[in-house]
Amino acid sequence: MLDKTMRINYLFDFYQSLLTPKQKNYMGLYYLDDYSLGEIAEQYNVSRQAVYDNIKRTEAMLEEYEEKLGLFAKFQERDQLLSSLRELLKSEPDNVIAIIDRLENME
């Protein structure tokens, strides 16, 4: 569950500008502020099922955006390359140039 929550939080960070205000509010309250479905439903005067459905649809949309745009995957790849770069700087400075070239050529 924690892995899913972390993934959704990252996707929300990358793609929240593509969501409606209601989707942003529900996702922010549920994933960032740790509100329960009941607390969100009470705040917006809707059913728990309506909140649940909205959150599930929004999660699916975030996954679809990631599939099409790949911002999170690119972020993860850059993070991995930077980690490799840090390690190589300690032990193999000659290989650092190759990693820098890969980072510069990423789309």
Side-chain angles (χ1 to χ4, degrees):
M1 181 66 177
L2 185 57
D3 288 338
K4 178 188 175 190
T5 299
M6 287 179 60
R7 178 174 175 78
I8 294 295
N9 280 329
Y10 272 113
L11 295 179
F12 182 63
D13 283 346
F14 283 109
Y15 302 113
Q16 67 179 301
S17 63
L18 302 174
L19 302 177
T20 67
K22 183 166 89 171
Q23 289 171 323
K24 286 183 205 178
N25 290 336
Y26 282 13
M27 295 297 284
L29 290 172
Y30 189 72
Y31 280 103
L32 302 177
D33 298 333
D34 202 29
Y35 277 45
S36 69
L37 296 174
E39 291 170 324
I40 299 169
E42 187 177 312
Q43 184 169 341
Y44 285 91
N45 201 26
V46 296
S47 70
R48 288 178 74 246
Q49 187 64 45
V51 173
Y52 176 82
D53 290 344
N54 186 289
I55 288 172
K56 290 300 169 193
R57 275 193 310 273
T58 305
E59 288 173 357
M61 287 176 66
L62 292 172
E63 291 291 352
E64 187 176 321
Y65 293 148
E66 174 60 14
E67 185 178 313
K68 290 178 180 177
L69 301 172
L71 297 179
F72 181 50
K74 289 175 185 174
F75 167 79
Q76 288 179 306
E77 184 178 358
R78 282 185 187 98
D79 190 52
Q80 179 60 42
L81 288 170
L82 287 169
S83 293
S84 298
L85 186 59
R86 282 187 198 96
E87 290 302 313
L88 285 173
L89 276 172
K90 295 176 189 173
S91 61
E92 300 176 41
D94 294 339
N95 291 329
V96 172
I97 301 290
I99 291 177
I100 290 172
D101 289 341
R102 282 184 62 194
L103 282 169
E104 288 178 338
N105 293 321
M106 287 185 73
E107 295 180 15

